[in-house]
Amino acid sequence: MTNDLIVVGAGPAGCAAALMAASLGQHVTVIEPGRVGGKLHEIGALENVPGAWETGPALAQSVAADLARIQKAGRCDLIQERAVSVAGHDDRAEVALTDGQVLAASAVVVATGVAPLTTGTCDWITAPADLELPPLWRARPEELQGRTYVLGADRPLGTWLRSHPDASRRLHVVYPPADHYKTDEVRHDDRVRLNRVDHVTVTRERYGQGYEVVVEGPEWSRTYAVDTLLGNLGSRPAALEGLVQKAGGYCPSEEQHPRVLTAGDVRSARFQRIVTAQGSGAEAALSRYYTAQAPASANASMAVRKEALRMSRDLVAMIDVEGMR
Ligand SMILES: Cc1cc2nc3c(=O)[nH]c(=O)nc-3n(C[C@H](O)[C@H](O)[C@H](O)COP(=O)(O)OP(=O)(O)OC[C@H]3O[C@@H](n4cnc5c(N)ncnc54)[C@H](O)[C@@H]3O)c2cc1C
């Protein structure tokens, strides 16, 4: 086994894990089928990343340069493939790739982020099976024609408004109750009309390019003719086979095998930010490093403690469920 660490995904979380491991003198293999930087490439305007970063692509470029530096120093290999599964064993962790390779290392950090939801996978939307909505984050203000509706209030809404301060067309945002907590950052923007709904039905206009959108609440229903329809539905965790998945399909690190760690957006719906992704990636690499340094007896007792913790959480969940019956 030549690898100390395998990192799956080269977004902010995976890159931070790789850089931290390399800085500790470890050898790391990063698996990434796309561009280094992940979602950073989709962010037009940034205001919450220390260091005066103004756009995602600029930060992505800098992170890619960091990864290239550790590759050049012989501490990192980048494999441009997709991982399909992960497995933890007593003496190693393994990652299987789509091309059939199985890589082994002392530990694996899975930082695969989240993948976009579609109208077909959202139970609050009924729409034609072949409807592919253009994503809001990619829309240019001049492309928005007439009455513009956005399905879903996911966070790119705030980013889009900040990226286009001069965009004047009103966005009618219809969203399910589960998205309500995400609307705070746009609530006071006059360019947005927020409409919390139970269900939306979309049909294409029989003649012309537009859509008919029926929105329904608990005791009301309204129908609108819509010229531009955009998707902003949110995402689901891009979990690999073999990860322990909890509510919503998320994969908390503390639920995994001791040699399998998760970092970034794949862990939880609540901490999906660049800086938290970087922090969790760096922390995952550091915690594996300290575990590997500790004497074998300490590691064994840590594994036992972790299993006991997991079992006690499952027990509490069972008691909660029983209590609700
Ligand atoms: C439009 C938009 C605007 C945003 N604006 C902000 C903002 O202003 N501020 C902020 O803090 N955050 C913002 N975010 C959130 C931020 O981008 C994420 O929290 C952050 O990128 C998460 O990092 P990550 O490394 O966990 O995942 P990602 O950045 O999603 O990276 C995951 C990587 O894993 C790879 N991958 C996926 N599956 C596999 C697989 N099977 N095998 C191998 N590799 C795989 C992907 O190709 C990707 O490169 C925004 C997100 C979007 C979409």
Side-chain angles (χ1 to χ4, degrees), residues 75-91:
R75 293 195 173 160
C76 173
D77 291 323
L78 176 63
I79 298 182
Q80 299 253 245
E81 263 296 339
R82 179 167 289 279
V84 283
S85 65
V86 62
H89 302 281
D90 285 349
D91 59 342

Side-chain angles (χ1 to χ4, degrees), residues 8-14 31-35 37-40 42-43 45-49 81-83 111-114 137 156 159 162 238 240 263-266 272-275 277:
V8 186
I31 299 159
E32 169 60 62
R35 283 193 289 177
K39 297 270 183 332
L40 295 179
E42 301 177 15
I43 307 175
L46 279 181
E47 58 176 20
N48 61 357
V49 179
E81 263 296 339
R82 179 167 289 279
T112 43
V114 290
W137 67 265
T159 309
R162 285 195 298 280
L240 298 183
D265 285 6
V266 75
Q272 299 189 348
R273 295 291 189 282
I274 295 162
V275 179

Side-chain angles (χ1 to χ4, degrees), residues 121-292:
T121 51
C122 290
D123 57 5
W124 61 281
I125 299 177
T126 304
D130 62 345
L131 182 71
E132 278 185 30
L133 292 182
L136 169 71
W137 67 265
R138 204 182 274 157
R140 293 200 305 274
E142 61 274 19
E143 292 168 350
L144 310 185
Q145 303 293 326
R147 197 175 177 88
T148 298
Y149 266 60
V150 177
L151 298 189
D154 200 38
R155 292 227 167 67
L157 182 57
T159 309
W160 192 88
L161 292 164
R162 285 195 298 280
S163 312
H164 303 290
D166 300 327
S168 55
R169 187 162 303 282
R170 178 156 292 159
L171 302 180
H172 295 266
V173 179
V174 290
Y175 65 92
D179 274 5
H180 189 66
Y181 76 98
K182 301 176 188 169
T183 56
D184 284 347
E185 62 176 297
V186 298
R187 192 159 295 285
H188 302 293
D189 194 314
D190 289 342
R191 297 171 294 168
V192 174
R193 283 282 176 280
L194 293 168
N195 194 356
R196 183 167 150 169
V197 302
D198 288 344
H199 197 82
V200 175
T201 305
V202 178
T203 43
R204 289 194 179 90
E205 273 181 354
R206 193 169 298 193
Y207 307 104
Q209 303 285 312
Y211 303 89
E212 185 184 89
V213 174
V214 180
V215 297
E216 292 166 71
E219 286 172 5
W220 53 267
S221 164
R222 287 181 211 112
T223 302
Y224 299 97
V226 170
D227 303 290
T228 303
L229 189 61
L230 301 166
N232 185 39
L233 298 169
S235 43
R236 63 194 153 75
L240 298 183
E241 218 181 294
L243 286 175
V244 178
Q245 293 180 252
K246 290 292 177 178
Y250 286 96
C251 311
S253 211
E254 60 276 15
E255 302 290 344
Q256 312 301 325
H257 186 277
R259 290 183 185 275
V260 177
L261 298 97
T262 54
D265 285 6
V266 75
R267 292 170 306 152
S268 146
R270 286 288 161 110
F271 301 102
Q272 299 189 348
R273 295 291 189 282
I274 295 162
V275 179
T276 49
Q278 291 174 326
S280 65
E283 194 172 318
L286 266 177
S287 76
R288 264 318 298 178
Y289 174 77
Y290 288 125
T291 305

